[in-house]
Amino acid sequence: MSKKTVLTGITTTGTPHIGNYLGAIKPAIEASEDARYNSFFFLADYHALIKCHDPARIARSSQEIAATWLALGLDTDKATFYRQTDIPEITELTWLLTCMTSKGLMNRSHAYKASVDANREAGKEDLDDGVTMGLFSYPILMAADILMFNADIIPVGKDQVQHIEMTRDIAGRFNHTYESLFALPVAQVDESSPLIPGLDGRKMSKSYDNTIPLFCSADELRRLINQIVTDTRGPGEPKDPDNSTLFQLYSRFATGHDIALMRQKYQEGIGWGEAKRELFEHLDSQLSGPRARYHELMNDLGAVEEVLQKGAYKAREKSAPFMEKIRIAAGIRPLTYVPVQPETDTQVKKEKSAEELLRVEEGRRRAILMQLKSLFERVESSDNKAEAALQVLAEKTAEVEGLKKKQKQKAQNELDVLKTELAQYVN
């Protein structure tokens, strides 16, 4: 059974904090130890340019994030760890995919729509004010990140699921237009993962300025923990551990036995000062080793760079030859190129599993449906849907009869889908 490929990108715009560690880094590193998967992790520094135009911040964040993943134990012999900008095929693929992507699809991006809504609420005449082409089309760059390595599984938050669906649409359209080269990725959302609270009890986020940097000094860690908001119940009064930010953070780092003991202390009325001291001591003991390793790496960035270059070499062993196949499929070929005689359908089906065939067919059909959207809308908006459906089928049939070879086959595929989808009106 072939391994599935899992891919995760980390945008280089900030300093890693405890929320990043618990919510993404720790589970990703643990998953990379699973021999059933090929794990790809990359520093998404091109993505950072979309909203951040501070070069020093992006450069510093790249250093910190790379050192953080290595300090926390990422085994780069088991996983491919690279910097997005070291893989030139990604930006090349972005352009090819841009030429396959409709503007209408990008119009539906949550980030773009949010910017338009904000401008509308602010009373601005230009609803695209402040919208760069990077912000507008970054789902295509994200699609290129994923499709470059034909990733099967993409761990994301709920707000990113739309981008995986867009990637599937873009891949399906390419597969239908040229050649079935891309797998259709699936979003993996961990519904069971609890929210990581910040200093004020809200989700830990740079946007709320309530984070605890993962590798801050022990003194800074103690100072920040002492700032965590608590209620007015004093020592001796029972406290609800499930509604305590202190307990929630403690339980994400502790074992089952320690968690049970701490829960009992809350129920018996531990004072908030004592609870903060216990949290500090536990977190400091857990993080002191990785913290020391992190500072060693930050003082030896040449070694970190070597790791990233090794990862880039591994990644390009896959991306360079695959990009060549993609170029050829799109017609970007040497003048002397001679196409390889395609295998017969029977040969291909023998070599592919039923699951792979189903996946390819799903992508092909999805792409065809997107291209025929205007025809379906025409039928749906008609007062006489049966008559409109028959007219659409007649027009497509005439188109098929007037074409030759490859163009004819593509139009015939569209006609077959139309017949299936419009059967409800004409039968």
Side-chain angles (χ1 to χ4, degrees):
M1 182 177 177
S2 60
K3 291 184 177 183
K4 295 287 187 181
T5 296
V6 182
L7 180 140
T8 299
I10 313 98
T11 306
T12 55
T13 54
T15 298
H17 55 73
I18 283 176
N20 299 143
Y21 168 65
L22 295 173
I25 303 174
K26 184 173 182 283
I29 292 177
E30 290 173 349
S32 72
E33 297 291 330
D34 192 328
R36 295 174 298 171
Y37 302 101
N38 290 318
S39 294
F40 285 73
F41 304 111
F42 67 95
L43 306 183
D45 44 356
Y46 273 135
H47 282 284
L49 297 175
I50 293 167
K51 291 186 177 181
C52 180
H53 299 149
D54 180 347
R57 178 181 173 186
I58 290 175
R60 179 67 179 180
S61 179
S62 297
Q63 296 169 346
E64 292 175 343
I65 291 173
T68 294
W69 281 70
L70 297 177
L72 290 169
L74 177 65
D75 187 338
T76 56
D77 289 328
K78 295 179 180 178
T80 303
F81 187 51
Y82 59 98
R83 184 169 37 210
Q84 185 184 35
T85 48
D86 285 335
I87 315 300
E89 292 80 15
I90 290 174
T91 44
E92 184 178 355
L93 178 56
T94 299
W95 177 249
L96 266 71
L97 298 181
T98 298
C99 296
M100 301 300 302
T101 304
S102 68
K103 179 176 180 292
L105 184 63
M106 293 298 95
N107 286 344
R108 297 193 287 275
S109 168
H110 293 327
Y112 172 64
K113 289 171 68 177
S115 295
V116 169
D117 290 343
N119 284 333
R120 183 180 292 109
E121 291 172 7
K124 295 183 179 179
E125 288 186 20
D126 181 7
L127 296 182
D128 285 332
D129 183 53
V131 176
T132 65
M133 288 307 298
L135 174 66
F136 181 72
S137 61
Y138 87 92
I140 306 176
L141 175 59
M142 186 170 176
D145 291 325
I146 295 167
L147 299 177
M148 189 75 263
F149 300 101
N150 262 339
D152 300 289
I153 302 168
I154 316 298
V156 292
K158 291 180 181 179
D159 60 331
Q160 292 289 314
V161 171
Q162 183 198 43
H163 294 135
I164 310 307
E165 290 300 314
M166 288 179 165
T167 298
R168 291 170 64 89
D169 288 338
I170 295 167
R173 188 165 187 175
F174 182 99
N175 290 347
H176 173 62
T177 303
Y178 296 121
E179 183 181 342
S180 293
L181 295 180
F182 296 126
L184 302 185
V186 175
Q188 182 183 75
V189 180
D190 186 357
E191 301 284 358
S192 63
S193 180
L195 178 145
I196 311 301
L199 301 178
D200 56 3
R202 294 182 293 177
K203 175 184 177 181
M204 189 176 291
S205 170
K206 293 188 292 290
S207 302
Y208 297 142
D209 193 26
N210 66 352
T211 64
I212 300 175
L214 186 58
F215 292 136
C216 61
S217 68
D219 287 343
E220 178 69 2
L221 178 62
R222 180 186 288 105
R223 186 185 70 81
L224 290 171
I225 288 175
N226 284 336
Q227 291 180 14
I228 292 176
V229 175
T230 58
D231 61 32
T232 58
R233 280 174 287 188
E237 294 184 77
K239 298 170 180 63
D240 181 3
D242 296 321
N243 286 319
S244 166
T245 296
L246 295 170
F247 181 81
Q248 290 177 55
L249 289 174
Y250 182 92
S251 64
R252 295 305 302 274
F253 282 88
T255 62
H257 176 69
D258 289 337
I259 293 171
L261 288 178
M262 182 57 69
R263 177 177 290 276
Q264 183 177 344
K265 290 182 180 180
Y266 272 71
Q267 293 167 344
E268 292 174 351
I270 187 174
W272 288 127
E274 177 66 13
K276 289 180 177 181
R277 184 185 65 78
E278 293 249 16
L279 175 61
F280 163 73
E281 291 179 354
H282 193 77
L283 263 60
D284 191 52
S285 67
Q286 295 279 314
L287 297 175
S288 59
R291 182 195 299 142
R293 177 59 179 152
Y294 169 79
H295 288 297
E296 287 177 8
L297 291 166
M298 288 297 289
N299 288 322
D300 187 9
L301 291 172
V304 179
E305 181 67 27
E306 286 183 14
V307 172
L308 288 175
Q309 289 301 322
K310 182 184 78 170
Y313 181 82
K314 284 173 63 178
R316 295 204 67 210
E317 283 184 318
K318 296 180 181 294
S319 65
F322 189 40
M323 192 65 233
E324 181 68 15
K325 291 179 66 176
I326 296 167
R327 286 191 210 102
I328 288 173
I332 310 299
R333 308 166 179 171
L335 300 182
T336 55
Y337 175 80
V338 178
V340 177
Q341 201 63 22
E343 298 174 295
T344 65
D345 288 345
T346 303
Q347 288 174 313
V348 173
K349 287 179 181 178
K350 284 182 179 179
E351 292 175 5
K352 291 186 176 181
S353 68
E355 179 184 353
E356 289 172 325
L357 287 171
L358 185 63
R359 186 170 63 180
V360 170
E361 178 60 25
E362 178 194 351
R364 186 183 73 88
R365 184 176 180 79
R366 189 186 184 99
I368 294 174
L369 287 171
M370 285 183 61
Q371 294 186 348
L372 298 176
K373 183 178 178 182
S374 62
L375 295 180
F376 292 128
E377 290 175 347
R378 175 178 152 191
V379 173
E380 287 293 334
S381 62
S382 174
D383 293 334
N384 189 331
K385 292 183 174 56
E387 182 179 319
L390 287 171
Q391 180 64 30
V392 166
L393 290 171
E395 291 172 1
K396 180 59 72 173
T397 300
E399 178 187 338
V400 171
E401 292 172 354
L403 295 173
K404 295 181 179 180
K405 296 184 179 179
K406 183 176 180 180
Q407 290 81 4
K408 184 171 184 176
Q409 183 58 57
K410 179 181 175 184
Q412 182 62 52
N413 291 340
E414 294 174 350
L415 177 58
D416 292 340
V417 171
L418 279 171
K419 286 179 178 178
T420 299
E421 295 296 320
L422 299 179
Q424 58 181 314
Y425 303 120
V426 299
N427 289 341

